Each structure stands twice: as C-alpha cells, then as structure tokens.
Amino acid sequence: MLLSAASRLLDPELESSVSLFVGSYILQLILHLPSHLSPHIPELIAAIVRRMQTSDIAGLKSSLVVIIARLVHLSAPNVDQFINLLLAIPAQGYGSSLAYIMSEWSQLQGEIQGAYQIKVTTTALALLISTRHPELSRIEVNGHLVKTSAGITTRSKARVTPDNWTKIPLPSKIFALLADTLAEIQEQVGDDADNIDEEDSDWEEVQNGDATPQDIMYSASVPSNANPSVEHLNAMAKVF
C-alpha cells in the first residue's frame, strides 16, 4: 500500500505540483523500510526518471535526485552494481537512466537546499566516482555556460535562443562539484571560527569591565555553529 501510494504520486500524468512532496515520502520509506523497498528499486528508479522527465519544477527534480543519492548509499559497498542497474533502465532521449540522471544531477547539485540533502548528495557523488566505473567516463554533461558576444540579451531573445554549454566528462564535473562543496564547508568553518574568536573577545572585554550591559547580552545570545560544520567536513573526508 505504501509503495502503491508512491507510485501514484510519481505518475507522470499528474501535475508536477501534486508530486512536490513525494521525495520526502519515499525518503522515509528508504530510511524505515529498506528491506521492503529493495525488491522494487528498479521500478522505483524507472518511475522517478519518468517523473523527472515530465516536470519543469527544479524543486521536484532536486528532491528526486536526493532519493537517487540515498539509493546510492543504500547500495554501498556495491555501488558499481547500482550503476549497472541504472545502465539497464531506459530513459527517453538518453542511452540509459544513468546518463539522464547524472545529466540532471550535475546541473541541480548547486541548487539543492538543506544540510542533510547536500550532505547525502555530495557524499553519494563521491561514492559513485570512487567506483571508477568505466561507463561514468563515457557520459558527457554540461560544463560552463558559454557567454555570447552578441550584445545585450533581451528576454525575448533569451526565450528563442537556448543556452550554450561546454561539454565535459562526468568525472570531471563530479570532481568540480566536490571541490566546490569542500571549499564552501571550509569557508563556513573559518567563519564559525571567527565568530568564536569574536565571542572570546567579547568575554574578555566583559572580564576587563570594558563592555556595556548591552554588549554582555549580545555576547551571551550568539550561538556557536562550529561543530555541525566540522562534522560535515569529517564525514566527507572519510568518503575520500
């Protein structure tokens, strides 16, 4: 019954808005009923691909990418077998579901919101690339947007002129995405460390009697967020 509900919500004939929360629903099934879900993973992936291909809502596509990423984790340490499964599932207009999913994933990764979602998708990319599966290198995805030199691009011109992208091998794109994520985490860790230093400085001023009551209240109300960032960095480091 639970799986049939997920299947109905992934129906490509439905309006995309109806399926907006199906990603969260399926994620709960994966987390709490993995053994019940495992026999139906091929059908689930095929349904996810069909739903993604018929939707223009980036938020819906991103939530379904998170599901694929969670399935990558679920397949560990046999991630290469999961890649083979994606290769065996067709996708309209693409050689396989692997080619389609990675094309979308590589484009959407930077748009994914939420600490958990970013952590799951980023570490899943690391798991995929760590397999060194030969099919990954055969897939080309969008690299950088090619800027036109035809002057100012108006809205009407943008509608009729599609964006041009360079094409790069999927492994190169994955490494670039992982590098960007690590850089962002390190920057966040640095910012949190600066905040801690500021708190220590405020406390020293209080001890020296130089701070006003307002300063004391402000210092006491500033939270420290250093630990979550460090944990994320350590988790990613273990994957590499």
Side-chain angles (χ1 to χ4, degrees), residues 15-100:
E15 291 289 337
S16 294
S17 57
V18 178
S19 304
L20 277 177
F21 299 102
V22 68
S24 299
Y25 175 73
I26 298 174
L27 182 60
Q28 293 305 311
L29 294 181
I30 294 174
L31 293 175
H32 299 290
L33 298 170
S35 59
H36 290 77
L37 188 64
S38 294
H40 305 282
I41 285 179
E43 294 88 347
L44 175 62
I45 293 173
I48 287 175
V49 169
R50 288 193 297 269
R51 177 71 279 190
M52 289 179 67
Q53 289 192 311
T54 55
S55 175
D56 294 325
I57 300 179
L60 173 57
K61 288 186 175 183
S62 296
S63 68
L64 296 178
V65 165
V66 174
I67 298 304
I68 297 296
R70 201 66 190 85
L71 292 176
V72 171
H73 285 276
L74 192 64
S75 69
N78 302 310
V79 180
D80 55 337
Q81 295 181 15
F82 182 75
I83 293 175
N84 291 335
L85 173 61
L86 294 180
L87 286 167
I89 299 174
Q92 185 176 1
Y94 290 80
S96 65
S97 286
L98 177 67
Y100 171 71

Side-chain angles (χ1 to χ4, degrees), residues 121-166:
T121 52
T122 303
T123 51
L125 287 173
L127 286 172
L128 288 171
I129 201 67
S130 68
T131 65
R132 299 185 179 181
H133 198 292
E135 289 298 326
L136 297 178
S137 298
R138 297 189 176 99
I139 297 174
E140 287 193 335
V141 296
N142 289 344
H144 301 286
L145 182 63
V146 178
K147 295 182 179 180
T148 61
S149 57
I152 299 174
T153 302
T154 62
R155 291 184 180 179
S156 58
K157 186 185 294 185
R159 282 195 294 267
V160 298
T161 306
D163 291 334
N164 290 322
W165 296 81
T166 61

Side-chain angles (χ1 to χ4, degrees), residues 151-191:
I152 299 174
T153 302
T154 62
R155 291 184 180 179
S156 58
K157 186 185 294 185
R159 282 195 294 267
V160 298
T161 306
D163 291 334
N164 290 322
W165 296 81
T166 61
K167 292 293 184 179
I168 61 175
L170 176 61
S172 298
K173 182 70 173 184
I174 291 178
F175 279 123
L177 291 170
L178 294 178
D180 288 344
T181 302
L182 282 174
E184 290 175 4
I185 292 175
Q186 289 172 338
E187 182 179 352
Q188 183 180 355
V189 171
D191 291 341

